[in-house]
Amino acid sequence: MQIYINYRIELSRLWAKILTVLVVGIILLSFTACNTTKRLKEGQYLLQSNTVKLTSNKGLTRRGELKDNLESLIVQRPNTRILLGVAPLKLWLYNLRYQKYQNDTGNYQIKSKTVEAPVLYDSSLTRKTVRNLKNYLFNSGYFFPTVKDTVVFKQKKAYVTYNIHTGLNYLIHRVTINADDTTIQRWVEAGMKDTKLKTGTPFYMGLVEEERSRIANALKEEGYFFFTQENIVDVKLDTFDNTLLKEDYSPFESIVNTIALQKKEIKNPTLDITIYIRSSQPKAYKKYYSNRITTLPDFVSREDIRDSSMIIRKYNEMNFRYHNYYIREKVLYKSIFFEKNALTRQSDYDNTINKLNGLGVFQSVRVLQFEDTIRTTDDSGYINTAILLSPAKKYDFSTNFEISNGTTYFAGSAIAFSFRDRNFLKGGNLLNISLRGGLESNLDQNKGEQLFKRFQLFSRNAGITASLNFPKFIVPFHVKFKNKNTPRTIISIGANILERVSLFTATNITGGYTYNWRQTATQSWELSPILINNFRLPYVSDSFQRRLDTVEFLKKLYTPVFIEGENINYTFSNQFINKGQSYTYAKIGLEEAGGLLAGINSLSNLRINYAQFVKLDFDIRRYYNRPHAQWATRFYGGVGIPYGHSVSLPYIKQYFTGGPYSIRGWRIRTLGPGGYFNPAEDTLHSSGVFIDRTGDIKIELNTEYRFDIMQLFYGVIKMKGAIFADGGNIWLARKTSGFPEGEFRLSKLGREMAVSTGMGLRFDLAGFFIFRADAAFPIKKPYGSNSGWVVDEIALGSQQWRRNNIILNVAIGYPF
């Protein structure tokens, strides 16, 4: 069951109780923190803190990262603290039942880390930490660092400080290759243009391992199948710096130059690197070529290789062996990059595995390669390849039931049925069909005496979508892609109906033809040459029609319209490349609609209302990862410009803001456009009879500091906190009488930016499910006096202020 929750609770007494509990809790925990040492024996000290002080002869380019890495090497750590590192809650809980836990060290609460025994200072662990820090600095290229530990004992607590001076980082001066084979020597030297061991680069030991891997992979790419990193037997470093001496050697001048280097910081010392390549096996220096290539699409066991009852097919000199004709060999052939009599290359191996996995048809993909001893000669060798594929489950049925509570309704439920065929027509094509329906209701406290009679149906919706995903480009001309691009073609179609009870009924027919492919490991593209939306309002109530007739802009916004256009999206993400370090995500999209139809309309009069607009969307994020914390920022939004006969974007293409994934101090679709404000609409919103606030332009900025609080049940559940701020708004592209102050004006951009702030809690269930609760309130409104800032009006102790301003957003997953 999948649960999605996105709602606002206006807090009064509930919020007051939460604040009271938090304040009292902080006071109690702070008080008890002073008594955490009362059970310690003579000579025992509670480890209170570890501090790393880092200095260097020169400014460090990545000082923060280096310091974080050093701090992570500290062996002994203080007890876990919550509430921004103030209260040792787990230690406090341990001390409440101290004697029990002392006698029962295998207690479940201790094992699950719900409580923690006091961490007693251990000098041997401090010495071990000093060794770890020195080793890390040495491996980072600081060959002569100094690490001194200082311990201050005060009131039975130990405060440890590690004073670290890195010294100078050595720079690479020259790299020399020494191989016992002249051909290998030439190949490696020719490929040194790709090395990271470049002259003037700061040296660290990790570069050596990267270079060993690079050389081995480069030679494997040239057909040296049996060459490995083990053939790079040694890497020697020579730190003797001849530039410190003159031609006429003088010991005195040498000393003077050395002192000048250290005190005046003339330059970093340099080192020479020599890479030794040796082999006692002739195979390591021999080129190998592909020979037999056999694929088993429904592999069961090794006996399949010799099973004469299997179906055997041959396609372009490749052999395919089936128990059942599971998938066409032509589909597999296009995903296999080995070629008979061609050089064996590491990239062919990697690309074959990636492409076959990308089909989504197989549960596991294995490639076995072994020498063909019969065909191999003294001059060249041959490799046989067996590709073993275990099919995934072909059909997949799933049912999702959702319970929701939103800012525009009180309670809702939805059910969805999905069907998936992972190998449609035996072509590795993915077929998806889904059905969805749901209801939303309001709660009116003023109607009826019984609870159930107070519920009123707010809206109901239903829809069906289908898509067919092909593992190739389907175009009327030839397109050549690199092996890693994994191009795909997606054809989709769908129909949705939404009934807003007492307002209108809307239908939307969608269709699309999309290509997507990966340009590099960090960049991907999506191109849709055909996108179709057909928006209709088969029913409009009299009251809603009167509202539309009053405001010309709304009338245009909700007018039935046909949308035909195209878009392109570019995505960059180095999250997987950086592997847990700080990373960047960016997505930029461009969409156009109406251009083709306008051309057709100029030739023959089209009797349909079609939209004309250009949209640019962007989403740029930066995640700074630190031990036990993350700082996330986002800048996103878009600009939609209607042109031709269109005066605004169609309703389904408009922007909105507010809610748990946007500006959290406002409810969803209640902010903007621009400086527009109508107090009367708030009453309509609370009763469920309202018109969504939408716009043609959107700008939004978010920043959030996320930090660990505690772990429960052996770390299965992680409780985390967050402090955040959100800012932004939506605007109309053109001035309209229905929404005064709603159009975009650069001169009033700062004035009309809304800002909210708040705090939140997150419960991470093994990284699979994240439940989030964020409490937020506005500190700057895009309307009102004093440039909109309302910081001076904040009154957390006032029940009325809390009821009118604090919004609790409960949702699944992070906001961004």
Side-chain angles (χ1 to χ4, degrees), residues 561-692:
V561 65
F562 180 77
I563 305 171
E564 187 284 323
E566 59 286 325
N567 71 11
I568 185 169
N569 293 287
Y570 166 81
T571 303
F572 171 87
S573 176
N574 58 2
Q575 178 179 4
F576 298 106
I577 298 296
N578 288 3
K579 297 179 181 178
Q581 299 179 1
S582 300
Y583 64 94
T584 300
Y585 170 90
K587 184 175 182 179
I588 300 175
L590 180 65
E591 181 177 356
E592 188 278 335
L596 177 62
L597 291 180
I600 297 175
N601 188 55
S602 64
L603 299 177
S604 61
N605 186 26
L606 294 175
R607 296 183 179 180
I608 59 172
N609 178 43
Y610 59 90
Q612 292 181 278
F613 64 85
V614 177
K615 277 187 69 178
L616 175 66
D617 297 293
F618 59 89
D619 185 351
I620 302 171
R621 310 177 191 180
R622 178 64 179 174
Y623 298 88
Y624 298 91
N625 289 330
R626 292 292 181 264
H628 310 295
Q630 183 187 70
W631 179 28
T633 59
R634 176 176 68 171
F635 175 46
Y636 89 114
V639 178
I641 306 297
Y643 72 92
H645 60 259
S646 297
V647 298
S648 68
L649 295 180
Y651 173 75
I652 58 176
K653 294 293 183 178
Q654 289 241 318
Y655 299 102
F656 64 89
T657 190
Y661 300 94
S662 184
I663 303 176
R664 283 161 276 187
W666 274 265
R667 291 170 289 174
I668 191 170
R669 299 177 184 265
T670 63
L671 178 60
Y676 171 77
F677 178 63
N678 185 353
E681 291 187 1
D682 286 350
T683 304
L684 293 174
H685 192 287
S686 61
S687 65
V689 183
F690 69 96
I691 298 174
D692 299 336

